[in-house]
Every structure is written in C-alpha cells, then in structure tokens.
Amino acid sequence: MRKMKKAGALGLGLAAILFSMSSCASNSEDSTATESERIELVRQDGEQKVDVMIDGKLFTSYIYPNTIKKPVLYPIITPKGTKITRKFPLEPSVGERVDHPHHVGLWFNYGDVNGLDFWNNSDSIDASKRDGYGTIVHKEIKSTTNGNDKAELAVVMDWEAPDGTVLLKENTTFVFSGEGDQYAIDRITTLTAENEDVSFKDNKEGMIGVRLTRAMEHPSDKPGVFTDANGISTGVAVLDNEGVNGRYLNAEGVEGEDCWGLRSNWMNLSSTIGDEQVSLAILDHQKNVGFPTYWHARGYGLFAANPLGQEVFSDGKESLNFKLAKGESVTFKYRVIVASSALSKETLDKKFTEFSAQ
C-alpha cells in the first residue's frame, strides 16, 4: 500500500514538473511572438491617440483631440530620433513660426467641400465665422494589427458641416513600415458621399499636407513672427537662417521653391539637422484622381499634394471641380517616406513605380 502511495506521489510530482515545463515553453513562445512584432500600435484611448512604435521607439501617433478640427499624425520622428514636425500650436517651442495654426502634423482635408472650408478650420477661428468651416471628427478605431514588417491602423471619420450633417464618411487605413534608416506611412483613404451630392470645387488648399520644423524650411530673408526663448510670439525683422537648409526636389528634377504649383509623381524635401541627413518624400499614386498631383509646397514649411485644385495651379488653363453623387466613393493613396539619409531621384522613381503597382 505504501509503495502504491509513493508511486502515486511520484506520478503527481512528475506531472507537475511536465506541466510547469509546458507552461514555461508556452510563455516563452508567447514572449517570442510578441518580441517578433517590431512594429506595434499602442492604443491610448484616454489620451485620444494611438502610438506607432518601431523597434521600441516612437515613430508617430494618430491623435484625435477635439481641439484641432481633424485627426492628424503627430509628431513625426525620423529613424534617428529627430522630430521634424512643427510643435506649434500643440507644444511649447522656441524659434518656430506661429502662422497658420491649422497646420498641425500630417493631415488630409480640403478647402472647399460643398462651400465649406475644412482646411483652414482651427480653434483660432472666431465663433461668429464658424458657419463657413467644416470639421473632421474621429468616430471609430476599426482595427489595429501589429507585425514584424508592418502595422495597420483602420479608422473611421466623419466630415461634418457646422449643423452636424455628415457630408463625407471617411474610411482610412494607415500602413506603417520600415527598418534601418527609412520608415514609411501609406495613407489609403476612401471618401463616400453619405447623405447628399458632394462637390470639391477647385481650391488651392488641399489635400494631404504636413507642417515642418524650422530646420526643414528653405532659407528666407522675409520677416515673420516666431516663438522666442520663452515661447512668446515675437516679430522678427531679420531671420536667422543658421541650420535652415531645406530643399525640395521633384521627379522632373526641379528644385527649391520653383516646385510649387507643378505636377509631379513625387516630391522630396531634404535637409541636414545637426549631423543627420533627413529626407521627407510624398509619393502620389497613378490611380488617384487628378494624377499626377499638383504640389502646394511652400518654402516656409508647408508641404502638401493637391490633385483637385487644378484651376488655381494652372492659372485657369485647367479645371476639375470634382464631384461625388450621393452614395459614390473615391479613394486616394499616398506614401510618405521618412529617412535619416539622402534619398536620390533614382531611388524615389523606383519607389513610386513600386507603390503605384499596388
């Protein structure tokens, strides 16, 4: 009887050891699976944002506070850790322009949708004038998917008139990827005319845009208003251009501020910040309406692609006045490349071809 009890105890002990080993192996496998997901989306619902982490470092965040009139990606950080988006008006800053408070991070909207201005809307608009502006409202995070090669964030937004009428239902998927000295963001946006016909009258202000830090600007001798050492807005008559060396380049080889108002497959803005070479490129897609897009690219740090404002950019030689009938949809695709290196024309031509084949 004692032998049987002893054998039973040994059996139970052996089973416990085997279970423990199995549990450890399972935990080890789970840990390995988690570690293999290099690109991770971290929801921070209480802070109204989703952080995008690559190899444990913040690349950007999808933020949707109700103070900036549209969801945006902010900040945008290079692989080497340099923030290249302007901080104003979201964070205290020194030596930054304080114009255009609606230029926040990386965004997507338009200046004339059924007569409403979605582009210029911000908290700085006087309450008595708000009936002329539209707001893009975050509605839902549909899904988040992490991965070793890419992560995907699917969201829903409403383009609303001042009375709350939904003009457009937006479904956007962000695809975040990259390793080494190059990261990328694909923004795939489908707009659906929800309740009525929707008209996008030709307008200079559109569509995908980003506002950049001073070091990414082109050198300028024009006076402006900047934040001083205490973060207070101060008029500056003569600009200090030290460390300011941004330079646009388009697919046709045109450089500098001459790129504004031209069509091109892609545009690259390069600079040197400290000892880091930085490139920010936006690629159009050949299936987009208005391809190849016109570029609303300014030397003071506004970098935007606008395929719909054709009458403005062509001095009246062309017009589009794009429309969606009730229930119709249109999709826009863009790729944004953020690199801690110089991107050549040959490299960007190849990347454009690859992206447009998708």
PDB file of all heavy atoms in Angstrom, residues 201-213:
ATOM      1  N   LYS A 201     -14.907  71.936 -55.085  1.00  0.00           N
ATOM      2  CA  LYS A 201     -14.585  72.995 -56.030  1.00  0.00           C
ATOM      3  C   LYS A 201     -13.081  73.234 -56.050  1.00  0.00           C
ATOM      4  O   LYS A 201     -12.422  73.192 -55.004  1.00  0.00           O
ATOM      5  CB  LYS A 201     -15.312  74.285 -55.650  1.00  0.00           C
ATOM      6  CG  LYS A 201     -15.142  75.398 -56.661  1.00  0.00           C
ATOM      7  CD  LYS A 201     -15.934  76.629 -56.256  1.00  0.00           C
ATOM      8  CE  LYS A 201     -15.740  77.759 -57.267  1.00  0.00           C
ATOM      9  NZ  LYS A 201     -16.492  78.982 -56.876  1.00  0.00           N
ATOM     10  N   ASP A 202     -12.527  73.497 -57.245  1.00  0.00           N
ATOM     11  CA  ASP A 202     -11.085  73.747 -57.360  1.00  0.00           C
ATOM     12  C   ASP A 202     -10.642  74.775 -56.320  1.00  0.00           C
ATOM     13  O   ASP A 202     -11.195  75.883 -56.265  1.00  0.00           O
ATOM     14  CB  ASP A 202     -10.739  74.251 -58.764  1.00  0.00           C
ATOM     15  CG  ASP A 202     -10.719  73.129 -59.787  1.00  0.00           C
ATOM     16  OD1 ASP A 202     -11.528  72.198 -59.643  1.00  0.00           O
ATOM     17  OD2 ASP A 202      -9.924  73.196 -60.731  1.00  0.00           O
ATOM     18  N   ASN A 203      -9.646  74.402 -55.517  1.00  0.00           N
ATOM     19  CA  ASN A 203      -9.218  75.246 -54.400  1.00  0.00           C
ATOM     20  C   ASN A 203      -7.749  74.977 -54.111  1.00  0.00           C
ATOM     21  O   ASN A 203      -7.295  73.828 -54.183  1.00  0.00           O
ATOM     22  CB  ASN A 203     -10.083  74.940 -53.167  1.00  0.00           C
ATOM     23  CG  ASN A 203      -9.863  75.894 -52.015  1.00  0.00           C
ATOM     24  OD1 ASN A 203      -8.870  75.815 -51.307  1.00  0.00           O
ATOM     25  ND2 ASN A 203     -10.807  76.801 -51.833  1.00  0.00           N
ATOM     26  N   LYS A 204      -7.020  76.013 -53.760  1.00  0.00           N
ATOM     27  CA  LYS A 204      -5.577  75.886 -53.508  1.00  0.00           C
ATOM     28  C   LYS A 204      -5.277  75.026 -52.281  1.00  0.00           C
ATOM     29  O   LYS A 204      -4.228  74.376 -52.204  1.00  0.00           O
ATOM     30  CB  LYS A 204      -4.983  77.288 -53.328  1.00  0.00           C
ATOM     31  CG  LYS A 204      -3.516  77.331 -52.948  1.00  0.00           C
ATOM     32  CD  LYS A 204      -2.964  78.747 -53.025  1.00  0.00           C
ATOM     33  CE  LYS A 204      -3.680  79.700 -52.097  1.00  0.00           C
ATOM     34  NZ  LYS A 204      -3.338  79.435 -50.650  1.00  0.00           N
ATOM     35  N   GLU A 205      -6.181  74.994 -51.317  1.00  0.00           N
ATOM     36  CA  GLU A 205      -5.890  74.384 -50.029  1.00  0.00           C
ATOM     37  C   GLU A 205      -6.273  72.902 -49.997  1.00  0.00           C
ATOM     38  O   GLU A 205      -7.430  72.531 -49.851  1.00  0.00           O
ATOM     39  CB  GLU A 205      -6.660  75.118 -48.922  1.00  0.00           C
ATOM     40  CG  GLU A 205      -6.594  76.636 -48.999  1.00  0.00           C
ATOM     41  CD  GLU A 205      -5.239  77.213 -48.634  1.00  0.00           C
ATOM     42  OE1 GLU A 205      -4.230  76.484 -48.717  1.00  0.00           O
ATOM     43  OE2 GLU A 205      -5.186  78.392 -48.286  1.00  0.00           O
ATOM     44  N   GLY A 206      -5.304  72.037 -50.150  1.00  0.00           N
ATOM     45  CA  GLY A 206      -5.554  70.596 -50.109  1.00  0.00           C
ATOM     46  C   GLY A 206      -4.255  69.860 -50.402  1.00  0.00           C
ATOM     47  O   GLY A 206      -3.233  70.475 -50.692  1.00  0.00           O
ATOM     48  N   MET A 207      -4.310  68.509 -50.383  1.00  0.00           N
ATOM     49  CA  MET A 207      -5.247  67.662 -49.653  1.00  0.00           C
ATOM     50  C   MET A 207      -4.477  66.959 -48.528  1.00  0.00           C
ATOM     51  O   MET A 207      -4.848  67.016 -47.399  1.00  0.00           O
ATOM     52  CB  MET A 207      -5.852  66.599 -50.558  1.00  0.00           C
ATOM     53  CG  MET A 207      -6.889  67.131 -51.529  1.00  0.00           C
ATOM     54  SD  MET A 207      -7.809  65.827 -52.366  1.00  0.00           S
ATOM     55  CE  MET A 207      -8.853  65.226 -51.019  1.00  0.00           C
ATOM     56  N   ILE A 208      -3.389  66.250 -48.898  1.00  0.00           N
ATOM     57  CA  ILE A 208      -2.530  65.682 -47.860  1.00  0.00           C
ATOM     58  C   ILE A 208      -1.414  66.681 -47.602  1.00  0.00           C
ATOM     59  O   ILE A 208      -0.749  67.159 -48.532  1.00  0.00           O
ATOM     60  CB  ILE A 208      -1.965  64.299 -48.250  1.00  0.00           C
ATOM     61  CG1 ILE A 208      -1.180  63.702 -47.072  1.00  0.00           C
ATOM     62  CG2 ILE A 208      -1.148  64.321 -49.537  1.00  0.00           C
ATOM     63  CD1 ILE A 208      -0.810  62.253 -47.249  1.00  0.00           C
ATOM     64  N   GLY A 209      -1.239  67.058 -46.339  1.00  0.00           N
ATOM     65  CA  GLY A 209      -0.261  68.097 -46.024  1.00  0.00           C
ATOM     66  C   GLY A 209       0.469  67.800 -44.724  1.00  0.00           C
ATOM     67  O   GLY A 209      -0.016  67.061 -43.865  1.00  0.00           O
ATOM     68  N   VAL A 210       1.639  68.413 -44.579  1.00  0.00           N
ATOM     69  CA  VAL A 210       2.420  68.286 -43.356  1.00  0.00           C
ATOM     70  C   VAL A 210       3.105  69.626 -43.101  1.00  0.00           C
ATOM     71  O   VAL A 210       3.527  70.316 -44.041  1.00  0.00           O
ATOM     72  CB  VAL A 210       3.455  67.133 -43.464  1.00  0.00           C
ATOM     73  CG1 VAL A 210       4.415  67.344 -44.630  1.00  0.00           C
ATOM     74  CG2 VAL A 210       4.225  66.949 -42.161  1.00  0.00           C
ATOM     75  N   ARG A 211       3.184  70.036 -41.830  1.00  0.00           N
ATOM     76  CA  ARG A 211       3.877  71.273 -41.474  1.00  0.00           C
ATOM     77  C   ARG A 211       5.127  70.909 -40.687  1.00  0.00           C
ATOM     78  O   ARG A 211       5.078  70.160 -39.707  1.00  0.00           O
ATOM     79  CB  ARG A 211       2.976  72.185 -40.654  1.00  0.00           C
ATOM     80  CG  ARG A 211       3.601  73.550 -40.355  1.00  0.00           C
ATOM     81  CD  ARG A 211       3.924  74.339 -41.623  1.00  0.00           C
ATOM     82  NE  ARG A 211       4.747  75.496 -41.330  1.00  0.00           N
ATOM     83  CZ  ARG A 211       4.269  76.721 -41.114  1.00  0.00           C
ATOM     84  NH1 ARG A 211       2.951  76.944 -41.134  1.00  0.00           N
ATOM     85  NH2 ARG A 211       5.081  77.728 -40.876  1.00  0.00           N
ATOM     86  N   LEU A 212       6.255  71.481 -41.111  1.00  0.00           N
ATOM     87  CA  LEU A 212       7.554  71.004 -40.658  1.00  0.00           C
ATOM     88  C   LEU A 212       8.309  72.013 -39.796  1.00  0.00           C
ATOM     89  O   LEU A 212       8.032  73.215 -39.809  1.00  0.00           O
ATOM     90  CB  LEU A 212       8.392  70.625 -41.883  1.00  0.00           C
ATOM     91  CG  LEU A 212       7.735  69.495 -42.687  1.00  0.00           C
ATOM     92  CD1 LEU A 212       8.208  69.500 -44.114  1.00  0.00           C
ATOM     93  CD2 LEU A 212       7.964  68.165 -42.015  1.00  0.00           C
ATOM     94  N   THR A 213       9.263  71.486 -39.077  1.00  0.00           N
ATOM     95  CA  THR A 213      10.077  72.289 -38.195  1.00  0.00           C
ATOM     96  C   THR A 213      10.965  73.252 -38.984  1.00  0.00           C
ATOM     97  O   THR A 213      11.198  73.085 -40.186  1.00  0.00           O
ATOM     98  CB  THR A 213      10.936  71.373 -37.300  1.00  0.00           C
ATOM     99  OG1 THR A 213      11.563  72.148 -36.287  1.00  0.00           O
ATOM    100  CG2 THR A 213      12.001  70.642 -38.105  1.00  0.00           C
TER     101      THR A 213
END
